[in-house]
Amino acid sequence: MKENMKKLILITGPQGSGNHLYSKLLALHKDVWGWKELNETFWIGHDQEPFNKFWVNPELWASIDFGDYKYAFASISVPYVQNGVTVVPDFDTFIRGAESAGWTVQLAIIGRDVNILEAQQQRLRKKVTLPNMLSALDRLVQQYDPVYISHELVCLYGANYLKSLSRLLDFPIDYSNPLVAEILKENSNKKYI
């Protein structure tokens, strides 16, 4: 990364694909501005994710001071729930706002086993929302050339996968932090098998 550039990793994927898991892992690095509060509790709704306000009011990008942070990450599911309404994110407006505030945005699309995704979405949302992400995928790929990241691989390989991902994204990830093992300790797929 160039010396005076700022990099924002935007993680997206189907509901239940592991946005919260990656948010916890990426928040561990001291040089990364992100959802640090998530590591103090098991779960927080996406309406409290630090970048949520920018999805709702993109003009806020101009008014937020990120201090000396050169790295940040945001997380959004497709679809997500805002004030009880299911919404497909407006990626273009969000990314344009981030770029206008000086951030270089790298889109990372998270994946998880399709059977587990469908079971998880049916259990929590009472319907499968995977088609929303699949409908958005071609345009996201054409427009933003995303990197793909994996729920299964981070659970299987832990710190080694995160070390590789840090190099791939050119983004600091604290893969040697003892909390990585703690975060990955519980196999969230087990309840679906």
Side-chain angles (χ1 to χ4, degrees):
M1 189 175 85
K2 292 182 183 170
E3 189 63 32
N4 50 349
M5 302 228 11
K6 298 187 297 184
K7 186 165 190 176
L8 170 69
I9 301 295
L10 173 54
I11 299 173
T12 192
Q15 288 177 323
S17 57
N19 292 59
H20 275 80
L21 175 66
Y22 271 94
S23 293
K24 286 181 177 215
L25 293 166
L26 294 182
L28 292 174
H29 200 286
K30 66 179 178 49
D31 295 334
V32 175
W33 196 86
W35 205 356
K36 303 220 183 257
E37 298 79 17
L38 193 57
N39 279 322
E40 297 168 11
T41 186
F42 176 73
W43 191 87
I44 303 172
H46 266 285
D47 61 330
Q48 296 177 51
E49 195 264 352
F51 284 92
N52 180 270
K53 58 185 159 270
F54 300 113
W55 293 99
V56 178
N57 298 309
E59 65 278 358
L60 290 176
W61 278 106
S63 65
I64 301 295
D65 178 13
F66 291 93
D68 293 332
Y69 282 104
K70 292 184 180 177
Y71 299 97
F73 73 90
S75 170
I76 193 82
S77 295
V78 179
Y80 70 103
V81 178
Q82 183 72 37
N83 299 323
V85 177
T86 301
V87 179
V88 173
D90 179 354
F91 289 97
D92 298 335
T93 303
F94 181 90
I95 291 171
R96 274 194 312 271
E99 290 172 342
S100 71
W103 294 94
T104 298
V105 180
Q106 170 69 62
L107 185 66
I109 296 180
I110 188 171
R112 189 174 187 181
D113 177 82
V114 67
N115 299 301
I116 292 188
L117 277 174
E118 289 176 349
Q120 193 268 2
Q121 291 168 2
Q122 188 65 45
R123 180 176 69 86
L124 292 176
R125 302 281 178 223
K126 308 300 182 225
K127 67 178 181 177
V128 174
T129 61
L130 181 57
N132 294 86
M133 180 62 196
L134 297 177
S135 293
L137 187 61
D138 285 341
R139 192 183 69 72
L140 291 174
V141 168
Q142 290 171 3
Q143 199 159 342
Y144 298 110
D145 190 27
V147 170
Y148 292 88
I149 60 178
S150 170
H151 181 279
E152 298 350 307
L153 291 178
V154 76
C155 290
L156 183 60
Y157 298 125
N160 287 319
Y161 179 72
L162 292 173
K163 183 177 183 180
S164 172
L165 192 59
S166 180
R167 284 192 310 268
L168 175 68
L169 295 173
D170 189 23
F171 191 84
I173 299 175
D174 191 0
Y175 49 83
S176 61
N177 190 313
L179 288 176
V180 168
E182 184 65 29
I183 291 168
L184 296 173
K185 181 173 67 175
E186 184 180 328
N187 181 347
S188 59
N189 288 348
K190 218 170 200 175
K191 61 182 159 240
Y192 298 105
I193 299 171

